[in-house]
Amino acid sequence: MAIHTERVTGWVGWIWFGGMLMIMSGIFNIITGLNAIINDEVYVQTFTRLLLFDLTGWGWIHLIWGVLLTATGVGVSFGKDWARVVAVILVMINAITQLTWIAVNPWWSLAIIAVDVLVLYALIVHGREAKALAE
């Protein structure tokens, strides 16, 4: 019987950090989505903004995105391989979307992009460490 031990480094903390951020962001998106679906008079509609859907449509998008983020964050925290793959895709999408906000809030966007890069590094290079600890 061969014993295989995976070396666990401090980067596993970044994996859990990424998972917890995804769970938190998912819960915020779920709350925002439900609020837009149930009470769409809360948000002000303007004619100067480009919206492809009405507020209820955006509410459903936020709700689905939130459930996806929350489930993936839980999976990442438990070291699931499928969650690592989905998390990498979601974090990359988040970093790219921050580029659209960089003119509005440059320091926040740059900070989020930097955190996304660290989380991506942790997930891609050290992702198996979370799985080793979960076993």
Side-chain angles (χ1 to χ4, degrees):
M1 176 196 250
I3 297 176
H4 180 3
T5 59
E6 185 102 17
R7 183 170 175 254
V8 178
T9 65
W11 280 99
V12 76
W14 277 100
I15 297 164
W16 288 334
F17 174 75
M20 292 300 115
L21 279 181
M22 292 179 80
I23 293 169
M24 184 178 68
S25 179
I27 291 170
F28 287 160
N29 274 285
I30 290 170
I31 292 169
T32 301
L34 286 174
N35 195 21
I37 292 168
I38 295 168
N39 190 14
D40 60 354
E41 290 86 26
V42 170
Y43 295 102
V44 178
Q45 298 183 33
T46 66
F47 295 107
T48 60
R49 302 281 185 220
L50 176 64
L51 294 175
L52 301 176
F53 307 104
D54 63 354
L55 291 177
T56 304
W58 280 112
W60 280 105
I61 290 171
H62 278 277
L63 180 65
I64 293 166
W65 184 254
V67 169
L68 184 63
L69 282 171
T70 303
T72 305
V74 170
V76 165
S77 298
F78 284 109
K80 302 297 182 189
D81 288 332
W82 66 266
R84 276 182 47 216
V85 172
V86 174
V88 166
I89 294 168
L90 295 178
V91 172
M92 285 174 36
I93 290 171
N94 188 53
I96 291 168
T97 58
Q98 287 302 318
L99 290 176
T100 63
W101 291 98
I102 204 159
V104 177
N105 201 345
W107 293 110
W108 178 256
S109 292
L110 290 173
I112 296 301
I113 290 170
V115 169
D116 284 345
V117 168
L118 285 172
V119 171
L120 280 172
Y121 177 79
L123 287 169
I124 293 169
V125 177
H126 299 281
R128 291 193 176 139
E129 295 176 24
K131 184 178 182 178
L133 283 177
E135 293 177 343

